[in-house]
Amino acid sequence: MCGIVGYIGNKQACEIILKGLKRLEYRGYDSAGVALLNGDLRVYKKQGKVLDLEESLEGKNIEGTIGMGHTRWATHGEPNDKNAHPHQSPTGDLSVIHNGIIENYATLKEGLLQRGHTFKSDTDTEVLIHLIEDIMKNANLSLQDAVRAALGQVVGAYAIVILSKNHPEHVIAARKGSPLVVGIGKERGEFFLASDATPIVEYTNQVIYIKDGEIAIIENKELTIKTIDNVIQTPYIQELEMNLEQLEKGGYPHFMLKEIYEQPKSIFDSFRGRIDAKSGNINMRSVRDYQEKLSKVNRLILIGCGTSWHAGLVAEYLFEDLARVPVEVEYASEFRYRNPVIYPDDLIVSISQSGETADTLAAMELAKQKGATVFGVCNVVGSSIPRLSHGGAYTHAGPEIGVASTKAFTAQVTVLTLYALAMAKQRETLSSSRIKQLMKEMEAIPGKVEQALKLNDKIYKIAELYKDAKNFLYLGRGYNFPVALEGALKLKEISYIHAEGYPAAEMKHGPIALIDEEMPVVVIATNNEHYEKLVSNIQEVKARKGKVIAIVTEGNTGLNELADHIIEVPETENCLSPILNTIPLQLLSYHIAVMRECNVDQPRNLAKSVTVE
Ligand code: F6R
């Protein structure tokens, strides 16, 4: 939520910042702004996309080799020019950009109002920069000390960057709860700051992830990292794994479509080197390091939000079915606030694409406080969730830029399948030959996804017929009930059509009342033990004149007369079918959204990385 970029070096900052903001726009896109330091401190901001800001800069003085920029996802104050960042101090000497929420801003603001401050915006962020200047003036502190003193008063989450007119060649940044990374440029004294590495990768692969409670000070061409209590820290420089090509659309009209089509590779990358179908061995560091823990675990608690929660729901079936371990799947936001009962032999698994979701992080912290072992299944390398975990695995899906999650979901399900197989092996709940058979089939999945992607033209035609529907229903059973939820979520978030996912048998307990000739019902009816039951559910929908789009296993002709549309996916093991069955649903929602002229990669009101509660 909210993207921040900073630059200090010998190049012109504005161009680097605008380019960086475009890469971070997936984090928020309701307004944007830049501040440039070049003797004076100039701030330009604009409601709308980064492109609107860029156009508004035409003819303006954008000179300067030090600067910062922000793309906003509104929390406090509606999206407009005045609430856009950067915000300035009363004298205009200081400027700040901020990602996060200052929870006690009202109390801090009250104090400042009493001391005569007036505010131009409705944001929590403006309060912070007023507070820093107020402390500098009244306590006669240096900028750095005033920043530390102000942050000491703040309750909430922040990643901030501060520029000061009176401190040229100087940038201060700090982090608590919201991500911040520093890139070390190739020239001496060149540094980049950003919410994640995507704006930096073009210039350097050397980065430092700032930790909670740390302040980064760039001064006289040197970077110093200190704690908020002024203790100097030794920075840990890491090499970035991503490359620029991964951040481009590569000829696709949208990142979402590119990411859907990347799935044969991203799924392969998520199990590559980790399974050996010949020996039935799992080669994962966390499985080795936590062998004893995994074999003794009495219960798994899987936590996540949105699509990652859906991956957790698929994994519930996997772990219970394959490894016979009881599982609970929890929304991170509920788990963290309901005093959950956690036993020492529970294992908590946090699932997250971004690794920065505030509720998931808080839920992990709670579980750790209660003594639990916490694993992370995460896509973004170096993000907060893997750093907070005891163990876990990266999904290796590569950067996911489209706000609607696609390849991250199938990679999460793949990695969770590997854990389920590892536990099945340790607990001997599956025979060694069955494990090898499932691994072999896992190796075939990328090829089968490739085949499923060939359904694109057919799905496009179906999308044309239903693009104006007001509602959609998605039904599935067993392993494919979470796939129904995920299909519905994809459709609603990018096309704004109301959609619900249901376990097919539950339809009779309510949703059936909605069915009439206007209602498209997507039914996942691939071959498994529930198939006959699903046929009955389809009969019930047809009896009420609903339109049925059935996802079936290749070669199944049983529904040809009954369903309005048949989408045939390759045959696979039931436990691996969620990965394959998700593909046509992603394509359906994508085409419907494009036909409705929706902004597929940046749907309204959403942000990719939800770093506020
Ligand atoms: C849906 C989507 C969101 C995320 C959710 C969790 O397409 O992208 O529902 O899945 O915000 O985000 P992560 O996985 O980054 O923790």
Side-chain angles (χ1 to χ4, degrees):
M1 305 240 139
C2 299
I4 64 182
V5 188
Y7 176 76
I8 178 165
N10 292 323
K11 301 188 181 81
Q12 285 299 310
C14 193
E15 195 188 324
I16 293 171
I17 290 164
L18 290 174
K19 216 178 204 186
L21 290 181
K22 284 181 196 155
R23 293 214 195 284
L24 287 180
E25 230 174 357
Y26 71 84
R27 300 178 66 87
Y29 32 81
D30 58 46
S31 52
V34 287
L36 298 161
L37 190 57
N38 190 15
D40 56 352
L41 182 57
R42 273 159 288 122
V43 171
Y44 305 109
K45 42 199 204 170
K46 188 91 199 128
Q47 181 179 352
K49 301 269 162 87
V50 177
L51 206 59
D52 298 306
L53 170 70
E54 196 170 16
E55 280 167 15
S56 76
L57 293 175
E58 199 85 3
K60 304 249 167 71
N61 176 3
I62 52 166
E63 291 286 307
T65 57
I66 304 177
M68 62 186 185
H70 187 270
T71 175
R72 181 169 185 247
W73 185 86
T75 57
H76 294 66
E78 64 180 75
N80 55 26
D81 288 357
K82 74 173 183 175
N83 288 332
H85 298 214
H87 290 284
Q88 288 179 277
S89 62
T91 61
D93 288 349
L94 302 178
S95 185
V96 68
I97 52 175
H98 168 219
N99 167 29
I101 292 182
I102 296 168
E103 287 167 14
N104 61 338
Y105 86 102
T107 317
L108 296 172
K109 189 170 184 175
E110 193 49 49
L112 289 162
L113 285 168
Q114 280 169 15
R115 293 200 289 283
H117 285 249
T118 53
F119 294 88
K120 293 190 179 123
S121 77
D122 312 313
T123 65
D124 49 342
T125 308
E126 192 186 8
V127 173
L128 175 65
I129 202 67
H130 276 235
L131 181 64
I132 293 169
E133 192 167 88
D134 190 77
I135 293 174
M136 280 176 83
K137 205 166 87 192
N138 293 322
N140 200 18
L141 290 183
S142 69
L143 173 61
Q144 273 184 39
D145 288 344
V147 169
R148 290 194 300 104
L151 293 179
Q153 294 184 36
V154 162
V155 177
Y158 54 79
I160 53 165
V161 183
I162 293 171
L163 296 180
S164 159
K165 191 160 84 180
N166 302 321
H167 298 72
E169 313 287 312
H170 199 125
V171 178
I172 298 184
R175 160 190 173 142
K176 187 177 157 231
S178 298
L180 185 64
V181 54
V182 178
I184 303 165
K186 296 200 172 116
E187 297 162 16
R188 183 172 169 257
E190 183 181 52
F191 294 96
F192 303 83
L193 288 151
S195 300
D196 67 37
T198 54
I200 296 177
V201 66
E202 191 164 345
Y203 309 100
T204 176
N205 64 355
Q206 304 283 300
V207 295
I208 298 162
Y209 291 94
I210 302 299
K211 298 197 191 94
D212 272 350
E214 285 183 346
I215 302 186
I217 301 139
I218 300 161
E219 191 180 14
N220 302 325
K221 298 190 184 298
E222 298 291 343
L223 167 73
T224 311
I225 297 181
K226 292 180 177 176
T227 63
I228 198 169
D229 306 319
N230 216 15
V231 181
I232 294 193
Q233 304 293 295
T234 312
Y236 171 51
I237 302 174
Q238 294 188 39
E239 206 157 291
L240 283 178
E241 279 185 13
M242 71 174 80
N243 60 50
L244 197 56
E245 209 177 282
Q246 291 173 307
L247 305 177
E248 310 283 354
K249 285 190 196 144
Y252 287 90
H254 298 99
F255 280 111
M256 184 181 177
L257 191 64
K258 177 186 176 226
E259 287 155 8
I260 291 173
Y261 273 86
E262 276 173 351
Q263 287 174 108
K265 180 171 182 320
S266 54
I267 293 165
F268 175 67
D269 286 344
S270 61
F271 68 71
R272 181 160 52 111
R274 288 174 165 169
I275 51 172
D276 179 356
K278 284 205 179 81
S279 64
N281 284 339
I282 301 265
N283 180 23
M284 289 169 83
R285 189 170 157 193
S286 47
V287 172
R288 276 196 307 279
D289 291 355
Y290 286 87
Q291 196 161 9
E292 203 181 316
K293 174 87 200 169
L294 288 173
S295 57
K296 289 199 182 127
V297 159
N298 262 340
R299 182 177 63 153
L300 285 170
I301 303 177
L302 311 178
I303 52 178
C305 304
T307 288
S308 295
W309 181 74
H310 293 159
L313 287 179
V314 176
E316 179 176 22
Y317 288 86
L318 285 162
F319 283 110
E320 296 201 347
D321 184 19
L322 306 183
R324 310 301 301 144
V325 190
V327 177
E328 279 170 33
V329 189
E330 300 262 6
Y331 282 118
S333 54
E334 288 299 312
F335 179 81
R336 62 180 288 200
Y337 286 121
R338 60 164 183 75
N339 194 15
V341 178
I342 299 174
Y343 300 108
D345 42 15
D346 286 341
L347 175 68
I348 315 295
V349 183
S350 280
I351 309 164
S352 173
Q353 188 289 128
S354 62
E356 301 293 351
T357 303
D359 281 319
T360 311
L361 275 164
M364 287 173 79
E365 261 156 19
L366 175 75
K368 278 178 88 174
Q369 275 161 24
K370 288 182 178 264
T373 304
V374 180
F375 270 22
V377 170
C378 186
N379 195 37
V380 177
V381 176
S383 56
S384 301
I385 285 176
R387 282 189 281 133
L388 197 65
S389 317
H390 295 109
Y394 283 116
T395 46
H396 295 310
E400 191 181 67
I401 315 280
V403 164
S405 194
T406 51
K407 64 174 181 172
F409 173 75
T410 47
Q412 286 166 344
V413 173
T414 304
V415 168
L416 291 162
T417 309
L418 303 189
Y419 277 124
L421 287 172
M423 289 178 83
K425 190 174 157 87
Q426 278 168 349
R427 291 163 178 249
E428 297 180 358
T429 49
L430 290 181
S431 69
S432 144
S433 61
R434 178 72 182 136
I435 289 176
K436 288 180 197 167
Q437 194 182 21
L438 288 175
M439 285 182 176
K440 202 151 181 274
E441 183 57 19
M442 173 66 92
E443 287 175 347
I445 290 290
K448 293 187 178 185
V449 169
E450 195 91 60
Q451 269 173 267
L453 288 167
K454 296 201 175 112
L455 295 163
N456 188 47
D457 290 351
K458 181 162 197 184
I459 294 168
Y460 182 91
K461 290 191 185 114
I462 298 173
E464 274 181 322
L465 297 174
Y466 297 105
K467 67 179 192 332
D468 296 320
K470 299 270 179 294
N471 301 287
F472 258 78
L473 193 60
Y474 287 72
L475 302 177
R477 292 180 93 118
Y479 275 105
N480 284 297
F481 155 52
V483 176
L485 292 178
E486 176 58 10
L489 177 64
K490 274 314 71 107
L491 185 72
K492 63 188 144 194
E493 65 184 337
I494 62 169
S495 73
Y496 319 138
I497 295 176
H498 170 247
E500 305 238 20
Y502 260 90
E506 271 294 302
M507 182 182 65
K508 288 193 278 297
H509 301 281
I512 199 163
L514 297 169
I515 294 175
D516 59 17
E517 62 277 10
E518 302 287 310
M519 175 69 99
V521 184
V522 179
V523 187
I524 304 146
T526 45
N527 291 353
N528 57 42
E529 73 269 26
H530 308 298
Y531 176 74
E532 294 304 333
K533 300 257 184 291
L534 276 155
V535 175
S536 306
N537 298 138
I538 292 172
Q539 298 273 15
E540 288 153 10
V541 173
K542 285 313 299 173
R544 284 148 189 93
K545 301 196 168 54
K547 301 284 183 296
V548 171
I549 303 162
I551 315 286
V552 304
T553 303
E554 219 162 51
N556 177 4
T557 52
L559 288 173
N560 286 6
E561 300 303 311
L562 198 56
D564 297 85
H565 311 278
I566 301 278
I567 296 173
E568 290 180 62
V569 292
E571 176 144 38
T572 187
E573 294 278 353
N574 191 24
C575 65
L576 300 178
S577 67
I579 304 176
L580 269 184
N581 295 345
T582 300
I583 309 293
L585 307 191
Q586 293 171 344
L587 287 169
L588 183 66
S589 58
Y590 171 78
H591 289 306
I592 290 179
V594 173
M595 286 168 195
R596 289 166 70 95
E597 296 182 9
C598 297
N599 188 336
V600 171
D601 283 336
Q602 294 172 351
R604 71 181 178 208
N605 303 339
L606 293 177
K608 181 110 191 115
S609 189
V610 185
T611 54
V612 295
E613 296 186 26

